[in-house]
Amino acid sequence: MDWKHHAIWWHVYPLGFCGAPIHEADPHPGPRLRALMGWLDYAVGLGCSGLLLGPVFASATHGYDTLDHYRIDPRLGSDADFDDLVGACRERGLRILLDGVFSHVGSGHPLLRRALAEGPGSGAAAMFDIDWGAPGGPAPRVFEGHASLARLDHASSAAAEYTADVMRHWLDRGADGWRLDAAYSISTDFWARVLPGVRAAHPDAFFLAEVIHGDYAGFTAAAGVDTVTQYELWKAVWSSIKDRNLFELDWALQRHNAFLSSFTPNTFIGNHDVTRIASAVGPDGAVTALAVLMTVGGIPSIYSGDEQGFTGVKEERAGGDDAVRPAFPASPDGLAPWGWGVYRAHQDLIGLRRRNPWLTTATTSAVALENQRYTYRVRAADSSACLDVSIDLTSTPRATIRDGGGTVLWEQAGH
């Protein structure tokens, strides 16, 4: 199996991580992206093999309202800063995945402004989904009700060619692949038109589609992506621990087995869009959740800060993501001392996974199941190896991992 299926990603939201202003103008643009270079050895020490970066391209605010897909956001630096980050990652064997926002652009995007100014016959107009007969004048159709996010016209060849060109541009500069933001909101036909040409130029590139609900396997096959975000399992992991209902986790793992028969999902217990796992289930519950993440099939990603037990609650309001997208200190030396026990648990569990690479495509079956106690057996696709994972929620959440002979390989300590 190639590197893509054995990757373990450290997921970083650069604008927040590097301390860039999100909601107001930046009085002092600068090479903040370079701050990540001081964290690369930390990511390697954690056991990760790549950086899954949030948006790094010029945007108006939070990065998902892109203004120029070909330019590094001035709040983060320049092409040279990106090139140096790529070089530093290469020296350490780290891959880089970029966040591609091709569902929509910021309402101030220069091409959109040109389209609105020049009318439906202009070249720029072919890129965008614009209601030319809207009351009050032409109006871009928007993403999920957000007036600041204007949709591309995904039926057009112009939007497909633009997307493919942006992808190739940054793959040429050293990226290893793309996270496709809001891929679920775009017809699979669009991705099926875009990706083959990109893969022809970069056959080793990795494509991860953000898909929340629906037919994961069908989307993966029709779109031609490598994998999708496994939100079903994410939800089941934290809510089964929080609600002391491990039947939910068992059901989700049965579903997960079915997905694994056709593709290898991207698994996670945290990302830049959701409440921190330690806030959802507490620090001990977060380590239990990690034990599940690291012992089931999939391509896992760790959201930066979760490995230190960071807390933060996502709220449905303006600025409601800020708590889960904080600035980090200049180096790991600035982290609080209380988080390192959680970090060591991550090292141990990631290490266990790396020593057992068959876990990437392994499936699970229930050995014993109650509301608050659950043991599942995780077995290699060729049945050559297995582990037993026991979860006990009767008091403080605990997990224990045993080999096929019953020897304890890892047991959760309190934090």
Side-chain angles (χ1 to χ4, degrees), residues 39-268:
W39 288 83
L40 299 182
D41 291 336
Y42 171 94
V44 171
L46 183 62
C48 294
S49 57
L51 294 186
L52 195 174
L53 293 180
V56 296
F57 308 125
S59 70
T61 59
H62 46 58
Y64 292 96
D65 46 1
T66 315
L67 298 178
D68 188 345
H69 283 95
Y70 294 95
R71 183 164 65 106
I72 297 296
D73 197 302
R75 292 171 292 175
L76 294 174
S78 65
D79 276 11
D81 299 311
F82 176 80
D83 292 344
D84 286 349
L85 176 62
V86 169
C89 285
R90 289 287 173 271
E91 290 174 3
R92 294 162 174 81
L94 290 169
R95 303 279 182 166
I96 292 184
L97 202 64
L98 296 178
D99 206 340
V101 189
F102 303 115
S103 157
H104 50 268
V105 298
S107 57
H109 194 288
L111 287 178
L112 176 62
R113 288 184 169 178
R114 183 186 306 170
L116 292 171
E118 296 178 359
S122 69
M127 278 265 297
F128 302 100
D129 187 2
I130 297 172
D131 181 357
W132 295 102
R141 293 183 175 89
V142 301
F143 174 71
E144 296 184 351
H146 299 285
S148 61
L149 305 178
R151 291 282 284 181
L152 298 182
D153 180 0
H154 297 100
S156 75
S157 59
E161 290 165 6
Y162 175 86
T163 299
D165 190 69
V166 171
M167 286 183 175
R168 287 191 297 264
H169 175 84
W170 293 103
L171 290 168
D172 288 345
R173 293 193 74 95
D176 295 286
W178 290 91
R179 172 191 178 270
L180 307 177
D181 182 67
Y184 60 85
S185 72
I186 303 169
S187 166
T188 53
D189 173 70
F190 176 78
W191 302 116
R193 286 184 286 126
V194 168
L195 296 182
V198 180
R199 287 192 189 277
H202 294 276
D204 208 29
F206 178 57
F207 296 94
L208 160 63
E210 182 191 18
V211 179
I212 300 174
H213 307 294
D215 180 1
Y216 291 165
F219 184 100
T220 302
V225 296
D226 292 290
T227 188
V228 301
T229 49
Q230 223 295 36
Y231 267 93
E232 282 190 20
L233 184 60
W234 161 77
K235 194 271 179 183
V237 170
W238 69 259
S239 66
S240 64
I241 295 172
K242 181 178 180 181
D243 298 338
R244 301 296 201 266
N245 176 20
L246 289 164
F247 283 87
E248 180 182 5
L249 178 58
D250 180 67
W251 175 250
L253 287 174
Q254 292 179 51
R255 294 263 302 165
H256 194 60
N257 287 341
F259 299 142
L260 285 160
S261 68
S262 58
F263 74 102
T264 309
N266 166 229
T267 52
F268 58 95

Side-chain angles (χ1 to χ4, degrees), residues 265-281:
N266 166 229
T267 52
F268 58 95
I269 54 174
N271 65 30
H272 64 300
D273 282 330
V274 302
T275 290
R276 291 271 185 186
I277 187 67
S279 289
V281 297

Side-chain angles (χ1 to χ4, degrees), residues 273 314-318 320-321:
D273 282 330
K314 177 184 172 70
E315 300 177 13
E316 297 301 328
R317 60 172 179 81
D321 295 311

